Amino acid sequence: MAAPLTSYDGIGIANLPNQKLRDTKAPQRHKIVAKRGGHFTIMVVGESGLGKTTLINTLFSTELSPPKNYSRRHHKQLDKLTEVEIIKAELEEKQFKVKLTVIDTPGFGDYVNNRDSWMPIVDFIDDQHEAYMRQEQQPQRHEKIDLRVHACLYFIRPTGHTLKPLDIEIMKRLGTRVNLIPVIAKADTLTQNDLFLFKQRIREVVAAQGIRIYTPPIDPDDENADHARVLIDAMPFSIIGSTEDVKTPDGRIVKGREYIWGVAEVENENHCDFKKLRSLLIRTHMLDLISTSEENHYENYRQQQMETRKFGEPKVKKSDNPKFKEEEEQLRKRFTEQVKAEEARFRQWEQHLIAERDRLNKDLEQAHSHIKQLEAELDHLQVNMYGRGTGRR
């Protein structure tokens, strides 16, 4: 039987100082968190219309971001760019404050050709590690700007089939850089059986492709070990987002979506995994997400950079990257070949025009000579006719 989720009042951020870490520095970290408050950065990635904004607003029980307007969505097709939007807020609960940063990625996966659409997302994550590392190398390090991503929610479209190639491609890249948490968006559009099979297929693809996703730590001596197992078994989380209050058939007022057949409740565990996701992100594992981001993902990036760069040396730009240089050289070569082909075609066309001009000039000269010959013959005839007329007289 699944372990019941711990009951909390409010959002749950006030429980952050009480959360446990997977290392021995936990007591010291608790004091720091309790004194300074928390700082949490979450990124949401997925196609437009999957409810990313709605879920964030539902998770934190406030309108952090206004609903998106998709009426002009087709106009952005010309841009073909994945954007990065940063939303900052400060939440307070029971006199405990958390500075929240939400990173949204509008434009991802919205085009016919989505090649390299993940690059701005991956670059942003790497750039935050780079910026923090550069600040650590400065003499004064009291107030560092920290936008390192602690958790990334990847929204999967509820097709009922399996992951798309684009999903696999970006999840591979994200899993090595950030705590990746896959979620199935709009779970109320699938039946329970279809949802179960969909989750199973996703887990199989994740395992087969070697995609790294965040796994809550399980300590056999910890009283929350069963809860951690429940969270792991529920991944990828099926979610329903809604900030609207609706009335159920039995008279309860809940957050949910109202349909002809009834109400899909956000916090009903028989309908979706919203409560499990909220518990993981906020109530039980926020501190572990922050810790693993700093001690695993950031340290991995720092180690890789320190092995290939000298202290204080700037990061290699894309233009200096051998891979990009090779691609640029191929593009330059292709462009040169196209220019040469066009020049050859132009020369051939020019030669054809010159030949045609010469032919026409020659024909014109022949016609002119013929006309002169006819005029001479005409003059000769006129002289003969005039001579005959004079002799008769």
Side-chain angles (χ1 to χ4, degrees):
M1 183 177 177
L5 295 178
T6 307
S7 177
Y8 298 94
D9 294 329
I11 303 172
I13 58 175
N15 191 55
L16 184 59
N18 302 321
Q19 294 178 18
K20 293 186 177 181
L21 285 172
R22 57 179 88 191
D23 60 18
T24 56
K25 300 177 183 176
Q28 181 182 1
R29 186 57 180 269
H30 287 184
K31 292 179 182 178
I32 295 173
V33 169
K35 183 179 179 180
R36 298 182 181 176
H39 175 213
F40 190 63
T41 301
I42 183 171
M43 173 180 276
V44 290
V45 180
E47 301 172 17
S48 300
L50 292 182
K52 300 188 295 295
T53 302
T54 302
L55 177 67
I56 291 298
N57 291 341
T58 308
L59 275 171
F60 297 99
S61 300
T62 185
E63 189 175 291
L64 294 172
S65 177
K68 297 288 192 301
N69 180 12
Y70 297 112
S71 61
R72 290 181 54 82
R73 180 178 166 190
H74 62 281
H75 290 290
K76 296 188 67 178
Q77 295 290 324
L78 297 174
D79 300 337
K80 294 189 177 181
L81 290 174
T82 301
E83 302 171 2
V84 174
E85 293 182 357
I86 301 175
I87 304 165
K88 292 187 176 184
E90 185 172 286
L91 306 179
E92 183 175 354
E93 186 177 84
K94 298 180 181 178
Q95 297 182 342
F96 182 79
K97 294 180 180 180
V98 169
K99 293 180 180 179
L100 177 68
T101 303
V102 178
I103 312 295
D104 196 3
T105 55
F108 171 75
D110 290 346
Y111 310 106
V112 175
N113 181 7
N114 290 296
R115 183 186 176 188
D116 296 337
S117 60
W118 55 79
M119 288 301 295
I121 300 170
V122 171
D123 288 345
F124 178 86
I125 296 172
D126 288 346
D127 288 346
Q128 303 320 306
H129 288 319
E130 176 69 20
Y132 192 84
M133 186 178 73
R134 299 284 291 179
Q135 291 177 87
E136 280 195 322
Q137 297 173 352
Q138 302 303 315
Q140 300 294 330
R141 301 182 298 173
H142 298 299
E143 295 183 5
K144 294 192 289 287
I145 299 173
D146 188 4
L147 281 179
R148 292 174 296 174
V149 179
H150 301 128
C152 176
L153 298 182
Y154 185 77
F155 285 68
I156 302 169
R157 186 172 290 279
T159 61
H161 302 298
T162 186
L163 293 176
K164 298 185 298 184
L166 179 63
D167 298 327
I168 297 172
E169 198 69 37
I170 187 172
M171 287 175 71
K172 279 184 176 180
R173 286 168 167 78
L174 290 175
T176 59
R177 290 173 165 85
V178 71
N179 292 319
L180 177 63
I181 303 171
V183 296
I184 300 173
K186 298 187 175 181
D188 48 332
T189 61
L190 297 173
T191 65
Q192 289 295 323
N193 185 53
D194 289 343
L195 185 59
F196 175 80
L197 293 175
F198 191 34
K199 279 191 173 189
Q200 190 173 6
R201 293 191 190 106
I202 292 174
R203 293 191 193 104
E204 291 172 355
V205 173
V206 167
Q209 295 290 335
I211 298 172
R212 293 172 55 182
I213 63 174
Y214 173 75
T215 304
I218 298 178
D219 185 357
D221 300 329
D222 189 358
E223 58 184 5
N224 291 324
D226 290 339
H227 174 62
R229 292 189 183 93
V230 170
L231 296 179
I232 293 173
D233 292 340
M235 289 186 182
F237 298 109
S238 57
I239 54 170
I240 301 172
S242 177
T243 56
E244 296 181 2
D245 292 328
V246 294
K247 189 173 183 179
T248 62
D250 58 1
R252 293 179 294 116
I253 302 298
V254 298
K255 299 289 184 185
R257 296 185 177 275
E258 192 170 8
Y259 297 97
I260 297 176
W261 46 263
V263 173
E265 301 177 31
V266 170
E267 298 194 23
N268 189 329
E269 292 189 68
N270 293 322
H271 294 178
C272 69
D273 299 322
F274 174 82
K275 290 182 71 174
K276 296 183 179 69
L277 177 62
R278 182 175 62 187
S279 174
L280 178 76
L281 287 174
I282 305 173
R283 300 184 171 183
T284 60
H285 289 85
M286 178 184 281
L287 197 57
D288 187 67
L289 288 165
I290 297 172
S291 174
T292 51
S293 296
E294 295 177 354
E295 297 171 11
N296 294 344
H297 297 294
Y298 170 67
E299 284 302 321
N300 288 340
Y301 176 85
R302 181 177 173 276
Q303 182 178 353
Q304 290 172 3
Q305 298 301 317
M306 296 301 286
E307 288 175 353
T308 57
R309 293 160 54 185
K310 296 179 181 179
F311 183 82
E313 187 179 25
K315 183 180 178 182
V316 178
K317 297 180 181 180
K318 290 181 182 179
S319 57
D320 299 330
N321 192 310
K323 179 183 176 183
F324 288 97
K325 279 190 174 181
E326 183 180 350
E327 291 181 357
E328 184 180 359
E329 187 62 32
Q330 290 177 353
L331 288 173
R332 186 181 287 108
K333 185 178 179 181
R334 191 184 309 167
F335 177 75
T336 304
E337 290 175 352
Q338 289 178 350
V339 170
K340 287 181 177 178
E342 287 297 316
E343 286 180 349
R345 191 173 68 86
F346 176 77
R347 288 195 190 98
Q348 186 179 4
W349 176 67
E350 186 180 28
Q351 290 173 358
H352 174 73
L353 285 179
I354 292 172
E356 187 68 15
R357 183 197 63 186
D358 293 342
R359 186 185 66 81
L360 291 174
N361 286 340
K362 188 176 180 181
D363 290 346
L364 184 62
E365 288 177 0
Q366 290 177 352
H368 187 65
S369 298
H370 187 61
I371 291 172
K372 283 187 174 181
Q373 184 180 357
L374 291 176
E375 287 179 347
E377 290 178 359
L378 181 62
D379 291 342
H380 182 69
L381 289 173
Q382 288 179 346
V383 169
N384 291 338
M385 290 178 63
Y386 178 77
R388 289 176 185 174
T390 303
R392 287 175 184 175
R393 291 176 185 174

